[in-house]
Amino acid sequence: MEWDEAQYFPMDLFHRMGEQGFLGVLVPEQYGGAGLGYQEYITIIEEIARVCGSVGLSVAAHNSLCTNHILMFGDEVQKQKYLPLLASGQWIGAWGLTEPNTGSDAMRMQCTATRDGDYWVLNGTKSWITHGKSGHVAVVIARTGELLDSRGMTAFVVERGTPGFHAGKKENKLGMRASETAEMIFENCRVHESQVLGDVGEGFIQAMKILDGGRISIASLALGIAKGAYEASVKYAKERHQFGQPIASFQGISFKLADMATKIEAAELLARQAGHLKDSGLKCTRQAAMAKYYASEISVEVSTDAVQIFGGYGYTKDFPVEKYYRDSKLCTIGEGTSEIQKLVIAREALKSL
């Protein structure tokens, strides 16, 4: 709560979590990672988010976006250079796709990269970037071709300290306030061609594949927040007495708890199913979108019910549920809004009929 109030990003904690293997969960041991799968990854994110959504969000973004992009699409030199630093927590990663005017409409991005001999020159702004200010390295998708061309974007690895790369505005958010969100600005930033991830023109296609795993991350984050709010509610409902008995004994409260528990169980099954497909090397676009959509929406519902169960106390910062309430909303927006998840689910469903 102190970090939340101060909007303090606890970098020291992340270095320590790196030592525990939490920042390279999916990275093979040969690159200094934990070498685990998505089931373990879901558990780690969920357990952290039960206590603090902000820390859970940053761990999720570091693992599933920047680190995973280099793992999936980097060449051996790039993997050897960056993965040990990221997996150990010595470095924190950022990932830049979103811009001020292109969120879901990423193919209209304005951040460009122009070839100049052996270098690419980046110009533009990325916004809503987790670790946009403090990240040591960022994977950045920039336009190298025509607007609306799915093969007109390229991914680059850009290190902090590269001339022309600096942080912009830090966002003052409703929730997730201890997870840093800021702009990344590129002004004639020269990046060597060795920093291109995969082939030129594949950036957008890579990003869409990365977001499948990212949706499992957000589902896990939402699940953890919901569990934290639910567990606090059960404990409070047993302790709080009204009319001579604990409020848990009243049907109005007990039915709320029953609904919360059922929603959480369903969300976890969806997340675990998507994780199983991902671990099996199978396509999980539809299942990941379903998990992300459902888990994020019920996280908001569960945390809203938690505030109601706590009554007036739930509206104060002396009790934990108001923070779950604020943190949960981000899950319905980040890494693809609920509306975008519905589009993905509908598109995938129509393909199968």
Side-chain angles (χ1 to χ4, degrees):
M1 181 58 81
E2 289 176 7
W3 294 341
D4 181 83
E5 291 281 288
Q7 300 191 55
Y8 171 73
F9 177 59
M11 183 68 82
D12 289 347
L13 174 68
F14 282 81
H15 294 322
R16 288 164 57 195
M17 285 195 294
E19 295 171 3
Q20 300 297 320
F22 295 162
L23 298 187
V25 181
L26 303 169
V27 175
E29 291 182 40
Q30 70 187 89
Y31 302 116
L36 299 173
Y38 269 83
Q39 297 301 339
E40 294 86 359
Y41 179 55
I42 290 167
T43 300
I44 288 167
I45 298 300
E46 174 210 311
E47 287 289 331
I48 293 170
R50 280 164 101 143
V51 178
C52 182
S54 292
V55 177
L57 172 61
S58 279
V59 172
H62 172 93
N63 272 282
S64 72
L65 299 179
C66 178
T67 304
N68 200 38
H69 200 136
I70 295 171
L71 175 63
M72 287 182 67
F73 299 106
D75 60 31
E76 192 57 31
V77 173
Q78 292 165 339
K79 290 178 183 178
Q80 293 283 359
K81 180 176 181 180
Y82 294 112
L83 291 179
L85 291 167
L86 290 163
S88 65
Q90 293 177 64
W91 280 18
I92 301 300
W95 193 75
L97 178 66
T98 302
E99 297 181 3
N101 293 310
T102 57
S104 302
D105 189 13
M107 285 204 293
R108 295 182 192 269
M109 67 172 56
Q110 298 299 309
C111 182
T112 60
T114 306
R115 187 183 281 279
D116 181 16
D118 293 339
Y119 286 82
W120 289 86
V121 182
L122 273 64
N123 280 287
T125 299
K126 295 294 179 179
S127 59
W128 303 105
I129 308 303
T130 304
H131 313 142
K133 182 178 179 181
S134 297
H136 300 85
V137 64
V139 171
V140 181
I141 294 89
R143 186 160 57 82
T144 51
E146 298 300 317
L147 277 175
L148 303 179
D149 180 1
S150 64
R151 294 191 177 275
M153 288 156 276
T154 302
F156 300 86
V157 184
V158 188
E159 295 182 23
R160 186 72 61 182
T162 302
F165 173 28
H166 58 272
K169 175 189 174 186
K170 178 183 173 183
E171 302 297 340
N172 183 10
K173 300 174 298 188
L174 169 72
M176 303 289 196
R177 290 164 62 84
S179 177
E180 176 191 282
T181 305
E183 291 179 325
M184 297 192 301
I185 299 172
F186 301 91
E187 296 176 321
N188 294 320
C189 178
R190 293 175 63 82
V191 179
H192 193 263
E193 62 183 6
S194 63
Q195 299 300 99
V196 172
L197 280 169
D199 293 332
V200 172
E202 286 190 344
F204 179 79
I205 295 162
Q206 292 173 6
M208 294 305 101
K209 292 177 181 177
I210 291 298
L211 286 173
D212 277 350
R215 287 165 183 154
I216 298 173
S217 291
I218 301 299
S220 308
L221 178 66
L223 179 62
I225 292 169
K227 284 189 176 183
Y230 169 71
E231 288 160 4
S233 298
V234 170
K235 184 173 183 290
Y236 183 80
K238 289 178 178 179
E239 295 172 351
R240 172 71 167 172
H241 282 66
Q242 291 286 277
F243 305 100
Q245 55 189 307
I247 62 172
S249 65
F250 297 119
Q251 191 178 76
I253 300 298
S254 66
F255 277 17
K256 264 187 171 44
L257 294 172
D259 284 339
M260 294 159 83
T262 303
K263 290 171 182 176
I264 288 169
E265 195 83 6
E268 177 147 25
L269 288 168
L270 282 168
R272 296 287 177 185
Q273 178 193 35
H276 171 70
L277 292 172
K278 191 76 171 158
D279 279 338
S280 302
L282 300 172
K283 183 179 179 182
C284 65
T285 301
R286 181 169 67 95
Q287 290 81 1
M290 284 180 169
K292 196 272 188 191
Y293 166 55
Y294 185 75
S296 63
E297 291 291 339
I298 69 98
S299 186
V300 173
E301 292 170 12
V302 168
S303 58
T304 300
D305 282 344
V307 171
Q308 196 70 20
I309 288 169
F310 273 73
Y313 292 113
Y315 204 65
T316 72
K317 293 183 182 293
D318 296 327
F319 289 81
V321 290
E322 69 87 30
K323 184 175 182 298
Y324 290 121
Y325 179 70
R326 289 186 291 108
D327 287 348
S328 66
K329 186 58 191 170
L330 182 278
C331 298
T332 70
I333 299 169
E335 296 195 36
T337 62
S338 291
E339 291 73 20
I340 289 295
Q341 303 314 311
K342 289 182 185 181
L343 286 174
V344 172
I345 294 162
R347 185 180 65 224
E348 293 295 316
L350 291 168
K351 281 182 188 176
S352 65
L353 296 176

